[in-house]
Amino acid sequence: MSEIYYATSTGPVNIATLKYWGKRDEDLNLPTNSSISVTLDQAHLRTLTTASCSSKFETDQLWINGASYPLDGARSKQVMADLRSLREEIENGDSSIPKIAAFPLHIVSENNFPTAAGLASSAAGFAALISAVAKLYKLPTNASELSKIARKGSGSACRSLLGGYVAWEMGDLANGEDSKAVQIADKKHWPDMKAAILVVSDMKKDVPSTSGMQLTVHTSDLFQYRIKEVVPKRFIAMRKAIIEKDFPTFAELTMKDSNSFHSVCLDSYPPIFYLNDTSKRIIKLINLLNQSAGEIIAAYTFDAGPNAVIYYEEKNEKYVLGLLHQFFSHLGGWESSSFNPKDAVIPESFPLSSLDKDVYSQGVSKVILTQVGEGPSETDDVLIDLQTGLPK
Ligand SMILES: Nc1ncnc2c1ncn2[C@@H]1O[C@H](COP(=O)(O)OP(=O)(O)OP(=O)(O)O)[C@@H](O)[C@H]1O
Ligand SMILES: C[C@@](O)(CCOP(=O)(O)OP(=O)(O)O)CC(=O)O
C-alpha cells in the first residue's frame, strides 16, 4: 500500500451553562443567541481520533468505537470540505509539500463514554476530528478559527475546541465568519470547578437537538423573550461571574438558564419534554441543599435529555458529594474520585428524613465525577493499522 499520512488528537466534552437553543441559519449553523460552557476534563470524558489519508483509500470513512458511521451527511461533508480547502490553499502556495488534500480520509475514533446519549459526544467527536485533521494537514489556524468549522458540524461542538470557560459569540455577519468560540478564562483561572454528572439515561434521546430547537424557534412565543431580553443580559452577567470567580452568581444564572431552556421546550408546539421525574427530583435535592447551606453551593443544568450535570466548587465537595452519596452510593463512578464518604457533611437543616430514600435513589444509572479541563491535545497514539488503513 502507498504511504498513509496520519495524525491523532483528543477532544473534550463541554456542558453549557448558558444554553445554545435555536438557529438563525440552518445551513451555516448560526445561532439565535450566544452561549457559554465549561470544558470538562478528558480523564473522564474524551474522544481520541486518528485522522489518516492515502491515495489508496476509496472513500472518506469514519469508525467510532469499532463501528462504521456515515460521513455522507451534509454537516460532515461541509466539515471535510472546509478542512480540505484550507489544505489546498497551503498546497497551492508551496509546491514542496505533498498534495494530500484530495486523498480520501479514514478517521478512527474512540469515545470513552456512551455515544449519542446526551453526554455531548458530538461535541467531543467533532473537536477531536477537526483537531486531528488540522494536525494531519498542518493547518496554521488557531482554535477559534477551527471552531467555525466545528460549528458547522454541530453548533455546541465549536466550544469544545477550547479548554476552561468558553463563550460561543453568536456574531452578526450573514456568512458566519464572526460566529466562533472564544475563551473567557482558562482552566487555571478557576481550577476548583467540579462537575458531577448523574447519568439518568444512556439511551438515544427522543427529540434530536437539531429538530427540537427549530420547532422551538418556529412555535414558541416565550422563545422570542428568551433570545431578545434574557440571554443577552445573562451572557454579560455570567461572563463577569466567571472572571470574578463568583460561584453563587454563576450557579444561580446556570440554574435559571437551564430552567429557561426547558421552559421554551415545553412552550414549543407540540411540546418537547427532556426532563423526567428523576431529573425533577435531582433539581429538588440541589435546591434543598442550597437552602440548607444558606448560600448557593451547587448548580444543576440539563441539556436535551434527562441527565443532570451539577457544578460545584471543590471546597464544598463534602456537602455536594456528601448529599449525592446518600442517594447514589450504590452506583459506579465514585471510585474515580478522591472523595471519601467519611468526609460527607449534610447541613443540619437539610430535611433528609422527609425524603423517601428509595424513591430519590431511583432512575440514575451511573455517576461521573469530573472537573473543568483543557481543550484538544495532540497525542502519539495511533488508532489506525498502518498496513491496512483500517481500525486496529
Ligand atoms: N468520536 C466521534 N467522532 C465523530 N463524530 C462523532 C463521534 N462521537 C459522536 N459523533 C457524532 O455525534 C453523533 C451523536 O450526536 P447527538 O447529538 O445525537 O448525541 P450527543 O452529542 O451525545 O448528545 P447531545 O448533543 O444532546 O449532548 C453521532 O451519531 C456521530 O455522528
Ligand atoms: C441543549 C444543548 O446541548 C444543545 C446542543 O445542540 P447541538 O449542538 O447538538 O445542535 P446542532 O447544532 O443542531 O448539532 C445546549 C448547548 O450545548 O448549548
Side-chain angles (χ1 to χ4, degrees):
M1 166 150 314
S2 59
E3 187 169 6
I4 296 179
Y5 299 85
Y6 62 94
T8 303
S9 183
T10 69
V13 159
N14 75 80
I15 298 292
T17 50
L18 182 55
K19 305 296 186 193
Y20 149 54
W21 196 250
K23 300 173 201 284
R24 65 177 196 276
D25 181 316
E26 295 185 33
D27 294 330
L28 291 172
N29 242 358
L30 300 177
T32 50
N33 63 264
S34 296
S35 56
I36 295 179
S37 61
V38 178
T39 297
L40 299 183
D41 194 334
Q42 297 177 53
H44 309 103
L45 300 166
R46 181 228 59 195
T47 296
L48 178 67
T49 298
T50 299
S52 64
C53 65
S54 168
S55 60
K56 292 291 176 205
F57 295 166
E58 280 173 13
T59 51
D60 286 351
Q61 274 188 277
L62 165 69
W63 292 267
I64 303 172
N65 292 354
S68 175
Y69 269 72
L71 261 182
D72 51 2
R75 304 241 211 123
S76 298
K77 278 191 180 155
Q78 184 63 57
V79 166
M80 303 308 223
D82 281 6
L83 291 165
R84 282 198 165 100
S85 96
L86 289 174
R87 172 73 191 184
E88 267 160 19
E89 273 175 37
I90 301 175
E91 290 176 3
N92 291 341
D94 181 352
S95 57
S96 71
I97 61 165
K99 297 237 177 309
I100 60 174
F103 291 176
L105 285 153
H106 279 190
I107 315 277
V108 182
S109 188
E110 280 174 8
N111 295 338
N112 67 352
F113 61 98
T115 300
L119 290 175
S121 68
S122 53
F126 274 113
L129 185 154
I130 288 164
S131 303
V133 177
K135 185 180 167 195
L136 170 71
Y137 285 172
K138 300 191 168 47
L139 304 180
T141 28
N142 67 28
S144 276
E145 284 303 307
L146 292 178
S147 82
K148 290 190 247 173
I149 303 178
R151 187 202 75 223
K152 295 186 205 167
S154 178
S156 56
C158 75
R159 299 183 310 237
S160 277
L161 264 298
L162 291 144
Y165 303 83
V166 181
W168 173 7
E169 294 174 342
M170 65 181 286
D172 46 34
L173 296 175
N175 66 7
E177 280 308 296
D178 56 352
S179 185
K180 60 181 191 298
V182 296
Q183 195 174 53
I184 297 175
D186 64 11
K187 174 191 150 129
K188 285 197 253 49
H189 166 75
W190 197 3
D192 33 5
M193 181 69 74
K194 298 271 185 168
I197 304 176
L198 302 177
V199 181
V200 172
S201 160
D202 55 9
M203 305 278 288
K204 208 167 162 24
K205 58 187 168 250
D206 253 10
V207 183
S209 321
T210 306
S211 49
M213 65 177 78
Q214 291 316 84
L215 181 67
T216 303
V217 169
H218 295 124
T219 63
S220 165
D221 308 316
L222 259 188
F223 178 72
Q224 290 306 320
Y225 180 68
R226 170 173 165 77
I227 59 166
K228 288 190 186 125
E229 301 295 329
V230 179
V231 175
K233 292 184 193 114
R234 195 169 277 164
F235 181 86
I236 293 167
M238 190 177 285
R239 188 170 53 188
K240 182 166 177 277
I242 290 169
I243 290 165
E244 292 173 356
K245 292 182 265 186
D246 171 357
F247 187 83
T249 303
F250 169 78
E252 182 177 332
L253 296 170
T254 295
M255 292 187 280
K256 284 186 167 172
D257 202 68
S258 176
N259 297 347
S260 163
F261 153 51
H262 290 281
S263 305
V264 296
C265 289
L266 183 62
D267 190 47
S268 306
Y269 189 79
I272 307 167
F273 304 94
Y274 288 124
L275 304 179
N276 66 15
D277 285 348
T278 303
S279 321
K280 292 176 201 164
R281 284 192 291 268
I282 295 167
I283 292 175
K284 183 163 172 186
L285 285 179
I286 298 304
N287 280 330
L288 287 172
L289 177 66
N290 287 332
Q291 275 164 24
S292 60
E295 58 176 333
I296 302 181
I297 59 169
Y300 61 77
T301 185
F302 297 82
D303 279 344
N307 299 329
V309 177
I310 296 158
Y311 285 114
Y312 62 95
E313 284 181 294
E314 192 164 7
K315 66 179 184 204
N316 290 316
E317 189 149 270
K318 56 183 184 287
Y319 301 110
V320 180
L321 293 192
L323 178 69
L324 298 180
H325 197 263
Q326 281 284 327
F327 297 96
F328 306 117
S329 60
H330 58 288
L331 300 175
W334 294 95
E335 63 288 347
S336 70
S337 112
S338 57
F339 173 70
N340 183 346
K342 288 200 190 100
D343 300 333
V345 180
I346 305 291
E348 228 166 81
S349 62
F350 189 91
L352 201 55
S353 56
S354 71
L355 301 174
D356 184 334
K357 195 167 169 189
D358 289 343
V359 173
Y360 275 78
S361 304
Q362 281 170 19
V364 177
S365 61
K366 191 164 88 172
V367 178
I368 300 171
L369 301 176
T370 187
Q371 60 203 1
V372 57
E374 309 279 6
S377 64
E378 299 183 357
T379 87
D380 293 331
D381 297 289
V382 183
L383 300 181
I384 192 156
D385 179 329
L386 296 172
Q387 297 304 315
T388 61
L390 298 171
K392 268 185 182 164

